[in-house]
Short mmCIF file of all heavy atoms in Angstrom, two decimals:
data_model
loop_
_atom_site.label_atom_id
_atom_site.label_comp_id
_atom_site.label_asym_id
_atom_site.label_seq_id
_atom_site.Cartn_x
_atom_site.Cartn_y
_atom_site.Cartn_z
N MET A 1 -29.59 -4.87 -13.36
CA MET A 1 -29.85 -4.22 -12.05
C MET A 1 -30.53 -5.21 -11.13
O MET A 1 -31.33 -6.06 -11.53
CB MET A 1 -30.76 -3.05 -12.35
CG MET A 1 -30.94 -2.13 -11.14
SD MET A 1 -31.77 -0.60 -11.67
CE MET A 1 -33.12 -0.75 -10.49
N ALA A 2 -30.16 -5.15 -9.86
CA ALA A 2 -30.69 -6.03 -8.78
C ALA A 2 -32.15 -5.73 -8.61
O ALA A 2 -32.68 -4.60 -8.74
CB ALA A 2 -29.87 -5.84 -7.53
N LYS A 3 -32.89 -6.76 -8.13
CA LYS A 3 -34.29 -6.55 -7.79
C LYS A 3 -34.42 -5.77 -6.55
O LYS A 3 -33.61 -5.83 -5.57
CB LYS A 3 -34.95 -7.92 -7.53
CG LYS A 3 -35.11 -8.75 -8.73
CD LYS A 3 -35.85 -10.09 -8.38
CE LYS A 3 -36.11 -10.92 -9.62
NZ LYS A 3 -36.76 -12.21 -9.18
N LEU A 4 -35.51 -4.95 -6.50
CA LEU A 4 -35.70 -4.11 -5.29
C LEU A 4 -36.41 -4.91 -4.25
O LEU A 4 -37.38 -5.65 -4.62
CB LEU A 4 -36.48 -2.87 -5.73
CG LEU A 4 -35.89 -1.85 -6.61
CD1 LEU A 4 -36.87 -0.75 -7.00
CD2 LEU A 4 -34.68 -1.15 -5.77
N LYS A 5 -36.16 -4.70 -3.02
CA LYS A 5 -36.87 -5.46 -1.88
C LYS A 5 -37.99 -4.63 -1.45
O LYS A 5 -37.97 -3.38 -1.34
CB LYS A 5 -35.93 -5.64 -0.72
CG LYS A 5 -34.92 -6.78 -0.87
CD LYS A 5 -34.11 -7.00 0.36
CE LYS A 5 -33.19 -8.16 0.17
NZ LYS A 5 -32.41 -8.47 1.39
N THR A 6 -39.10 -5.30 -1.12
CA THR A 6 -40.30 -4.67 -0.56
C THR A 6 -40.05 -4.49 0.85
O THR A 6 -39.38 -5.24 1.56
CB THR A 6 -41.53 -5.68 -0.68
OG1 THR A 6 -41.70 -5.99 -2.07
CG2 THR A 6 -42.77 -5.04 -0.08
N ASN A 7 -40.49 -3.26 1.36
CA ASN A 7 -40.34 -2.88 2.75
C ASN A 7 -41.26 -3.82 3.53
O ASN A 7 -42.49 -3.73 3.41
CB ASN A 7 -40.63 -1.44 3.02
CG ASN A 7 -40.46 -0.97 4.38
OD1 ASN A 7 -41.19 -1.41 5.29
ND2 ASN A 7 -39.49 -0.06 4.59
N SER A 8 -40.67 -4.64 4.50
CA SER A 8 -41.48 -5.59 5.19
C SER A 8 -42.48 -4.93 6.14
O SER A 8 -43.51 -5.52 6.44
CB SER A 8 -40.63 -6.62 5.90
OG SER A 8 -39.74 -6.03 6.77
N GLY A 9 -42.16 -3.80 6.65
CA GLY A 9 -43.12 -3.05 7.52
C GLY A 9 -44.26 -2.65 6.76
O GLY A 9 -45.47 -2.71 7.22
N ALA A 10 -44.05 -2.05 5.62
CA ALA A 10 -45.14 -1.61 4.70
C ALA A 10 -45.98 -2.69 4.16
O ALA A 10 -47.22 -2.63 4.06
CB ALA A 10 -44.56 -0.82 3.52
N LYS A 11 -45.40 -3.84 3.96
CA LYS A 11 -46.01 -5.04 3.47
C LYS A 11 -47.18 -5.45 4.41
O LYS A 11 -48.25 -5.98 4.02
CB LYS A 11 -45.04 -6.16 3.29
CG LYS A 11 -45.56 -7.47 2.63
CD LYS A 11 -44.36 -8.40 2.32
CE LYS A 11 -43.37 -8.55 3.40
NZ LYS A 11 -42.27 -9.56 2.97
N LYS A 12 -46.86 -5.32 5.79
CA LYS A 12 -47.86 -5.73 6.81
C LYS A 12 -48.90 -4.63 7.00
O LYS A 12 -50.00 -4.99 7.49
CB LYS A 12 -47.08 -5.95 8.10
CG LYS A 12 -46.13 -7.10 8.09
CD LYS A 12 -45.14 -7.00 9.30
CE LYS A 12 -43.98 -7.99 9.00
NZ LYS A 12 -42.88 -7.77 10.09
N ARG A 13 -48.66 -3.45 6.67
CA ARG A 13 -49.60 -2.32 7.01
C ARG A 13 -50.48 -1.97 5.91
O ARG A 13 -51.55 -1.30 6.08
CB ARG A 13 -48.73 -1.15 7.43
CG ARG A 13 -48.21 -1.23 8.79
CD ARG A 13 -47.27 -0.12 9.20
NE ARG A 13 -46.82 -0.15 10.51
CZ ARG A 13 -45.85 -0.91 11.01
NH1 ARG A 13 -45.12 -1.69 10.17
NH2 ARG A 13 -45.46 -0.90 12.26
N PHE A 14 -50.18 -2.24 4.67
CA PHE A 14 -50.93 -1.77 3.53
C PHE A 14 -51.32 -2.97 2.66
O PHE A 14 -50.66 -3.96 2.56
CB PHE A 14 -50.16 -0.83 2.59
CG PHE A 14 -49.68 0.42 3.42
CD1 PHE A 14 -48.36 0.52 3.80
CD2 PHE A 14 -50.54 1.44 3.65
CE1 PHE A 14 -47.90 1.75 4.40
CE2 PHE A 14 -50.12 2.64 4.25
CZ PHE A 14 -48.82 2.73 4.66
N SER A 15 -52.53 -2.85 1.96
CA SER A 15 -52.93 -3.84 1.00
C SER A 15 -53.65 -3.21 -0.17
O SER A 15 -54.08 -1.96 -0.02
CB SER A 15 -53.87 -4.87 1.66
OG SER A 15 -54.99 -4.17 2.19
N LEU A 16 -53.67 -3.85 -1.27
CA LEU A 16 -54.31 -3.27 -2.47
C LEU A 16 -55.73 -3.62 -2.59
O LEU A 16 -56.07 -4.87 -2.27
CB LEU A 16 -53.58 -3.77 -3.73
CG LEU A 16 -52.12 -3.20 -3.97
CD1 LEU A 16 -51.41 -3.89 -5.12
CD2 LEU A 16 -52.21 -1.71 -4.21
N THR A 17 -56.56 -2.75 -3.07
CA THR A 17 -57.93 -3.11 -3.43
C THR A 17 -57.96 -3.69 -4.88
O THR A 17 -56.94 -3.66 -5.52
CB THR A 17 -58.82 -1.82 -3.36
OG1 THR A 17 -58.37 -0.90 -4.38
CG2 THR A 17 -58.77 -1.19 -2.04
N GLY A 18 -59.15 -4.06 -5.25
CA GLY A 18 -59.35 -4.69 -6.52
C GLY A 18 -58.99 -3.72 -7.67
O GLY A 18 -58.57 -4.01 -8.77
N SER A 19 -59.33 -2.38 -7.42
CA SER A 19 -59.13 -1.38 -8.46
C SER A 19 -57.69 -0.79 -8.39
O SER A 19 -57.43 0.13 -9.08
CB SER A 19 -60.12 -0.27 -8.30
OG SER A 19 -60.09 0.33 -7.01
N GLY A 20 -56.79 -1.29 -7.44
CA GLY A 20 -55.48 -0.82 -7.42
C GLY A 20 -55.14 0.27 -6.41
O GLY A 20 -54.03 0.76 -6.36
N LYS A 21 -56.18 0.69 -5.61
CA LYS A 21 -55.94 1.72 -4.63
C LYS A 21 -55.26 0.99 -3.46
O LYS A 21 -55.35 -0.16 -3.26
CB LYS A 21 -57.20 2.34 -4.30
CG LYS A 21 -57.87 3.19 -5.35
CD LYS A 21 -59.23 3.70 -5.03
CE LYS A 21 -59.82 4.54 -6.16
NZ LYS A 21 -61.17 4.82 -5.95
N ILE A 22 -54.69 1.90 -2.53
CA ILE A 22 -53.97 1.31 -1.41
C ILE A 22 -54.82 1.48 -0.13
O ILE A 22 -55.20 2.62 0.16
CB ILE A 22 -52.55 1.90 -1.22
CG1 ILE A 22 -51.77 1.71 -2.49
CG2 ILE A 22 -51.82 1.28 -0.07
CD1 ILE A 22 -50.53 2.43 -2.58
N LYS A 23 -55.04 0.37 0.53
CA LYS A 23 -55.90 0.46 1.77
C LYS A 23 -55.00 0.44 2.97
O LYS A 23 -53.94 -0.11 3.03
CB LYS A 23 -56.74 -0.91 1.73
CG LYS A 23 -57.94 -0.86 2.40
CD LYS A 23 -58.86 -1.99 2.09
CE LYS A 23 -58.20 -3.37 2.31
NZ LYS A 23 -59.11 -4.47 2.23
N ARG A 24 -55.46 1.15 4.08
CA ARG A 24 -54.77 1.21 5.30
C ARG A 24 -55.68 1.26 6.46
O ARG A 24 -56.87 1.47 6.31
CB ARG A 24 -53.90 2.55 5.28
CG ARG A 24 -54.72 3.83 5.45
CD ARG A 24 -53.87 5.01 5.73
NE ARG A 24 -54.70 6.19 5.82
CZ ARG A 24 -55.22 6.72 6.89
NH1 ARG A 24 -55.26 6.04 8.09
NH2 ARG A 24 -56.01 7.78 6.86
N LYS A 25 -55.13 0.97 7.66
CA LYS A 25 -55.93 1.05 8.92
C LYS A 25 -55.77 2.38 9.51
O LYS A 25 -54.78 3.12 9.26
CB LYS A 25 -55.46 -0.07 9.87
CG LYS A 25 -55.85 -1.46 9.49
CD LYS A 25 -55.46 -2.44 10.51
CE LYS A 25 -56.56 -2.54 11.66
NZ LYS A 25 -56.30 -3.61 12.53
N HIS A 26 -56.63 2.75 10.41
CA HIS A 26 -56.70 4.05 11.19
C HIS A 26 -55.62 3.93 12.33
O HIS A 26 -55.49 2.79 12.88
CB HIS A 26 -57.96 4.44 11.67
CG HIS A 26 -58.84 5.03 10.70
ND1 HIS A 26 -59.89 4.33 10.03
CD2 HIS A 26 -58.91 6.25 10.18
CE1 HIS A 26 -60.46 5.16 9.20
NE2 HIS A 26 -59.96 6.32 9.30
N ALA A 27 -55.06 4.98 12.74
CA ALA A 27 -54.21 5.06 13.87
C ALA A 27 -55.08 5.32 15.11
O ALA A 27 -56.21 5.57 14.95
CB ALA A 27 -53.12 6.17 13.69
N TYR A 28 -54.46 5.37 16.29
CA TYR A 28 -55.16 5.73 17.52
C TYR A 28 -56.17 4.78 17.97
O TYR A 28 -57.10 5.17 18.73
CB TYR A 28 -55.74 7.20 17.47
CG TYR A 28 -54.73 8.24 16.97
CD1 TYR A 28 -54.97 8.84 15.68
CD2 TYR A 28 -53.68 8.60 17.71
CE1 TYR A 28 -54.07 9.75 15.20
CE2 TYR A 28 -52.71 9.53 17.26
CZ TYR A 28 -52.95 10.08 16.05
OH TYR A 28 -52.14 11.07 15.60
N HIS A 29 -56.03 3.55 17.71
CA HIS A 29 -57.02 2.54 18.07
C HIS A 29 -56.32 1.42 19.02
O HIS A 29 -56.90 0.44 19.26
CB HIS A 29 -57.73 1.89 16.95
CG HIS A 29 -58.89 1.08 17.38
ND1 HIS A 29 -60.02 1.62 17.99
CD2 HIS A 29 -59.14 -0.30 17.31
CE1 HIS A 29 -60.85 0.62 18.26
NE2 HIS A 29 -60.36 -0.48 17.83
N SER A 30 -55.11 1.71 19.50
CA SER A 30 -54.38 0.69 20.30
C SER A 30 -54.45 0.89 21.73
O SER A 30 -54.41 -0.03 22.56
CB SER A 30 -52.96 0.53 19.79
OG SER A 30 -52.37 1.82 19.86
N HIS A 31 -54.52 2.11 22.17
CA HIS A 31 -54.48 2.40 23.67
C HIS A 31 -55.09 3.75 23.94
O HIS A 31 -55.47 4.46 23.04
CB HIS A 31 -53.14 2.32 24.23
CG HIS A 31 -52.10 3.25 23.65
ND1 HIS A 31 -51.95 4.52 24.11
CD2 HIS A 31 -51.27 3.20 22.63
CE1 HIS A 31 -51.04 5.18 23.39
NE2 HIS A 31 -50.59 4.36 22.49
N ILE A 32 -55.24 4.04 25.23
CA ILE A 32 -55.99 5.24 25.78
C ILE A 32 -57.37 5.32 25.08
O ILE A 32 -57.80 6.28 24.56
CB ILE A 32 -55.22 6.51 25.50
CG1 ILE A 32 -53.73 6.40 25.87
CG2 ILE A 32 -55.80 7.69 26.24
CD1 ILE A 32 -52.85 7.65 25.55
N LEU A 33 -58.13 4.16 25.25
CA LEU A 33 -59.37 4.06 24.61
C LEU A 33 -60.62 4.57 25.54
O LEU A 33 -61.69 4.76 25.09
CB LEU A 33 -59.73 2.64 24.13
CG LEU A 33 -58.72 2.18 23.06
CD1 LEU A 33 -58.99 0.68 22.84
CD2 LEU A 33 -58.81 2.92 21.78
N THR A 34 -60.27 4.78 26.85
CA THR A 34 -61.23 5.13 27.79
C THR A 34 -61.87 6.52 27.53
O THR A 34 -62.99 6.77 27.79
CB THR A 34 -60.70 5.09 29.18
OG1 THR A 34 -59.53 5.80 29.26
CG2 THR A 34 -60.46 3.64 29.66
N LYS A 35 -61.07 7.43 27.06
CA LYS A 35 -61.52 8.81 26.80
C LYS A 35 -62.09 8.99 25.46
O LYS A 35 -62.58 10.03 25.15
CB LYS A 35 -60.37 9.85 27.13
CG LYS A 35 -59.15 9.67 26.29
CD LYS A 35 -58.09 10.73 26.51
CE LYS A 35 -57.40 10.51 27.77
NZ LYS A 35 -56.23 11.43 27.98
N LYS A 36 -62.05 7.98 24.54
CA LYS A 36 -62.59 8.10 23.26
C LYS A 36 -63.99 7.62 23.27
O LYS A 36 -64.34 6.67 23.88
CB LYS A 36 -61.79 7.27 22.25
CG LYS A 36 -60.38 7.88 22.07
CD LYS A 36 -59.49 7.10 21.17
CE LYS A 36 -58.15 7.66 21.12
NZ LYS A 36 -57.14 6.69 21.26
N THR A 37 -64.90 8.22 22.51
CA THR A 37 -66.29 7.88 22.44
C THR A 37 -66.46 6.57 21.63
O THR A 37 -65.60 6.16 20.90
CB THR A 37 -67.13 9.03 21.74
OG1 THR A 37 -66.68 9.14 20.41
CG2 THR A 37 -67.00 10.31 22.53
N LYS A 38 -67.59 5.96 21.89
CA LYS A 38 -67.99 4.67 21.21
C LYS A 38 -67.94 4.90 19.67
O LYS A 38 -67.41 4.07 18.90
CB LYS A 38 -69.32 4.19 21.59
CG LYS A 38 -69.31 3.64 22.99
CD LYS A 38 -70.79 3.23 23.30
CE LYS A 38 -70.90 2.75 24.80
NZ LYS A 38 -72.34 2.53 25.17
N LYS A 39 -68.52 6.02 19.18
CA LYS A 39 -68.54 6.35 17.79
C LYS A 39 -67.09 6.54 17.20
O LYS A 39 -66.85 6.02 16.10
CB LYS A 39 -69.34 7.65 17.55
CG LYS A 39 -69.47 8.11 16.15
CD LYS A 39 -70.25 9.32 16.06
CE LYS A 39 -70.43 9.83 14.67
NZ LYS A 39 -71.18 11.10 14.53
N GLN A 40 -66.16 7.17 17.97
CA GLN A 40 -64.84 7.39 17.57
C GLN A 40 -64.18 6.03 17.40
O GLN A 40 -63.47 5.81 16.39
CB GLN A 40 -64.16 8.20 18.59
CG GLN A 40 -62.96 9.02 18.06
CD GLN A 40 -62.41 9.94 19.24
OE1 GLN A 40 -62.99 10.09 20.24
NE2 GLN A 40 -61.27 10.57 18.88
N LYS A 41 -64.27 5.13 18.39
CA LYS A 41 -63.58 3.88 18.34
C LYS A 41 -64.15 3.00 17.26
O LYS A 41 -63.39 2.28 16.54
CB LYS A 41 -63.72 3.17 19.73
CG LYS A 41 -62.96 3.80 20.81
CD LYS A 41 -63.04 3.02 22.09
CE LYS A 41 -64.28 3.47 22.91
NZ LYS A 41 -64.24 2.88 24.27
N ARG A 42 -65.48 3.05 17.02
CA ARG A 42 -66.06 2.28 15.96
C ARG A 42 -65.55 2.63 14.59
O ARG A 42 -65.26 1.88 13.73
CB ARG A 42 -67.60 2.47 16.05
CG ARG A 42 -68.41 1.59 15.15
CD ARG A 42 -69.89 1.68 15.38
NE ARG A 42 -70.45 2.99 15.27
CZ ARG A 42 -70.97 3.68 16.29
NH1 ARG A 42 -70.96 3.25 17.50
NH2 ARG A 42 -71.45 4.90 16.03
N ASN A 43 -65.43 4.03 14.43
CA ASN A 43 -64.89 4.51 13.14
C ASN A 43 -63.43 4.22 12.90
O ASN A 43 -63.00 4.18 11.75
CB ASN A 43 -65.27 6.04 12.97
CG ASN A 43 -66.68 6.27 12.79
OD1 ASN A 43 -67.41 5.38 12.18
ND2 ASN A 43 -67.19 7.39 13.25
N LEU A 44 -62.63 4.08 13.91
CA LEU A 44 -61.22 3.80 13.87
C LEU A 44 -61.01 2.31 13.44
O LEU A 44 -59.96 1.98 12.94
CB LEU A 44 -60.52 4.04 15.23
CG LEU A 44 -60.34 5.54 15.51
CD1 LEU A 44 -59.76 5.70 16.89
CD2 LEU A 44 -59.48 6.25 14.56
N VAL A 45 -62.04 1.38 13.54
CA VAL A 45 -61.81 0.06 13.25
C VAL A 45 -61.86 -0.07 11.71
O VAL A 45 -61.16 -0.97 11.13
CB VAL A 45 -63.06 -0.75 13.86
CG1 VAL A 45 -63.07 -2.24 13.25
CG2 VAL A 45 -62.93 -0.79 15.37
N LYS A 46 -62.65 0.73 10.95
CA LYS A 46 -62.82 0.61 9.59
C LYS A 46 -61.53 0.95 8.79
O LYS A 46 -60.63 1.78 9.23
CB LYS A 46 -63.90 1.52 9.10
CG LYS A 46 -65.32 1.24 9.69
CD LYS A 46 -66.27 2.26 9.38
CE LYS A 46 -67.53 1.97 10.29
NZ LYS A 46 -68.50 3.01 10.08
N PHE A 47 -61.36 0.38 7.64
CA PHE A 47 -60.27 0.63 6.73
C PHE A 47 -60.52 1.93 5.99
O PHE A 47 -61.71 2.24 5.75
CB PHE A 47 -59.97 -0.48 5.76
CG PHE A 47 -59.22 -1.69 6.38
CD1 PHE A 47 -59.96 -2.59 7.01
CD2 PHE A 47 -57.91 -1.71 6.28
CE1 PHE A 47 -59.26 -3.73 7.64
CE2 PHE A 47 -57.19 -2.86 6.86
CZ PHE A 47 -57.96 -3.79 7.52
N THR A 48 -59.43 2.53 5.50
CA THR A 48 -59.62 3.68 4.63
C THR A 48 -58.52 3.66 3.52
O THR A 48 -57.64 2.79 3.56
CB THR A 48 -59.51 5.04 5.47
OG1 THR A 48 -59.82 6.11 4.64
CG2 THR A 48 -58.10 5.22 6.07
N LEU A 49 -58.57 4.60 2.67
CA LEU A 49 -57.61 4.63 1.54
C LEU A 49 -56.40 5.57 1.91
O LEU A 49 -56.67 6.63 2.63
CB LEU A 49 -58.28 5.04 0.26
CG LEU A 49 -59.38 4.17 -0.27
CD1 LEU A 49 -60.02 4.79 -1.55
CD2 LEU A 49 -58.75 2.77 -0.60
N VAL A 50 -55.31 5.32 1.31
CA VAL A 50 -54.18 6.23 1.54
C VAL A 50 -54.41 7.49 0.70
O VAL A 50 -54.92 7.46 -0.37
CB VAL A 50 -52.86 5.47 1.05
CG1 VAL A 50 -51.67 6.45 1.02
CG2 VAL A 50 -52.51 4.30 1.89
N ASP A 51 -54.07 8.66 1.28
CA ASP A 51 -54.23 9.92 0.66
C ASP A 51 -53.43 10.04 -0.59
O ASP A 51 -52.34 9.42 -0.76
CB ASP A 51 -53.89 11.02 1.61
CG ASP A 51 -54.43 12.41 1.15
OD1 ASP A 51 -55.68 12.45 1.11
OD2 ASP A 51 -53.69 13.33 0.98
N LYS A 52 -53.93 10.77 -1.62
CA LYS A 52 -53.30 10.82 -3.00
C LYS A 52 -51.90 11.36 -2.93
O LYS A 52 -51.11 11.01 -3.77
CB LYS A 52 -54.19 11.53 -3.88
CG LYS A 52 -54.40 13.01 -3.58
CD LYS A 52 -55.23 13.69 -4.66
CE LYS A 52 -55.43 15.13 -4.30
NZ LYS A 52 -56.31 15.84 -5.30
N CYS A 53 -51.59 12.24 -1.90
CA CYS A 53 -50.20 12.84 -1.89
C CYS A 53 -49.20 11.82 -1.31
O CYS A 53 -48.06 11.94 -1.44
CB CYS A 53 -50.21 14.04 -1.05
SG CYS A 53 -50.67 13.82 0.69
N ASP A 54 -49.65 10.68 -0.68
CA ASP A 54 -48.84 9.72 -0.13
C ASP A 54 -48.75 8.44 -0.91
O ASP A 54 -47.93 7.47 -0.66
CB ASP A 54 -49.27 9.37 1.31
CG ASP A 54 -49.17 10.51 2.27
OD1 ASP A 54 -48.18 11.30 2.21
OD2 ASP A 54 -50.09 10.78 3.16
N VAL A 55 -49.54 8.32 -1.94
CA VAL A 55 -49.68 7.01 -2.76
C VAL A 55 -48.30 6.70 -3.35
O VAL A 55 -47.89 5.55 -3.28
CB VAL A 55 -50.75 7.17 -3.84
CG1 VAL A 55 -50.68 6.04 -4.89
CG2 VAL A 55 -52.17 7.11 -3.13
N SER A 56 -47.64 7.69 -3.95
CA SER A 56 -46.42 7.38 -4.67
C SER A 56 -45.30 6.92 -3.63
O SER A 56 -44.53 6.05 -3.92
CB SER A 56 -45.89 8.55 -5.39
OG SER A 56 -45.64 9.78 -4.44
N ARG A 57 -45.31 7.49 -2.39
CA ARG A 57 -44.36 7.11 -1.39
C ARG A 57 -44.63 5.61 -0.91
O ARG A 57 -43.64 4.85 -0.72
CB ARG A 57 -44.50 8.02 -0.16
CG ARG A 57 -43.32 8.05 0.69
CD ARG A 57 -43.49 9.02 1.87
NE ARG A 57 -44.11 10.23 1.48
CZ ARG A 57 -44.40 11.19 2.35
NH1 ARG A 57 -44.21 11.04 3.61
NH2 ARG A 57 -44.93 12.36 1.90
N VAL A 58 -45.93 5.32 -0.76
CA VAL A 58 -46.18 3.94 -0.29
C VAL A 58 -45.89 2.93 -1.35
O VAL A 58 -45.41 1.81 -1.08
CB VAL A 58 -47.65 3.88 0.17
CG1 VAL A 58 -48.09 2.46 0.43
CG2 VAL A 58 -47.89 4.75 1.38
N LYS A 59 -46.17 3.32 -2.66
CA LYS A 59 -45.94 2.38 -3.81
C LYS A 59 -44.44 2.11 -3.84
O LYS A 59 -44.12 1.04 -4.29
CB LYS A 59 -46.49 2.99 -5.09
CG LYS A 59 -47.89 2.83 -5.30
CD LYS A 59 -48.35 3.30 -6.63
CE LYS A 59 -49.88 3.02 -6.92
NZ LYS A 59 -50.35 3.43 -8.21
N GLU A 60 -43.60 3.06 -3.58
CA GLU A 60 -42.20 2.90 -3.62
C GLU A 60 -41.77 1.86 -2.55
O GLU A 60 -40.86 1.06 -2.83
CB GLU A 60 -41.53 4.26 -3.29
CG GLU A 60 -40.15 4.47 -3.85
CD GLU A 60 -39.71 5.89 -3.66
OE1 GLU A 60 -40.09 6.75 -4.47
OE2 GLU A 60 -38.89 6.10 -2.67
N LEU A 61 -42.36 1.97 -1.41
CA LEU A 61 -42.10 0.89 -0.33
C LEU A 61 -42.57 -0.45 -0.68
O LEU A 61 -41.91 -1.49 -0.36
CB LEU A 61 -42.71 1.37 0.97
CG LEU A 61 -42.15 2.68 1.65
CD1 LEU A 61 -43.12 3.04 2.81
CD2 LEU A 61 -40.73 2.50 2.03
N LEU A 62 -43.72 -0.54 -1.37
CA LEU A 62 -44.26 -1.77 -1.70
C LEU A 62 -43.69 -2.33 -3.08
O LEU A 62 -44.04 -3.49 -3.42
CB LEU A 62 -45.77 -1.72 -1.83
CG LEU A 62 -46.60 -1.38 -0.54
CD1 LEU A 62 -48.00 -1.18 -0.81
CD2 LEU A 62 -46.32 -2.50 0.48
N VAL A 63 -42.93 -1.60 -3.80
CA VAL A 63 -42.37 -1.92 -5.04
C VAL A 63 -43.47 -2.38 -5.99
O VAL A 63 -43.40 -3.52 -6.58
CB VAL A 63 -41.17 -2.93 -4.91
CG1 VAL A 63 -40.48 -3.06 -6.30
CG2 VAL A 63 -40.27 -2.54 -3.88
N ILE A 64 -44.45 -1.47 -6.26
CA ILE A 64 -45.54 -1.82 -7.17
C ILE A 64 -45.22 -1.18 -8.54
O ILE A 64 -44.79 -0.08 -8.71
CB ILE A 64 -46.83 -1.24 -6.64
CG1 ILE A 64 -47.23 -1.86 -5.29
CG2 ILE A 64 -48.01 -1.41 -7.65
CD1 ILE A 64 -48.39 -1.29 -4.60
#
């Protein structure tokens, strides 16, 4: 069977933590920032983990 290709868009957007969880960035931090509060913008900068219901879908794209 042929090797599966990693989705190159997913490769740029997700990364693995040391314990094997999948890390992602927050959305809504690229434009229309004037109406968002400082606290909201600050929290959007931080990384978060992919939700457990989406983990299998992301792993499929990353071919883990």
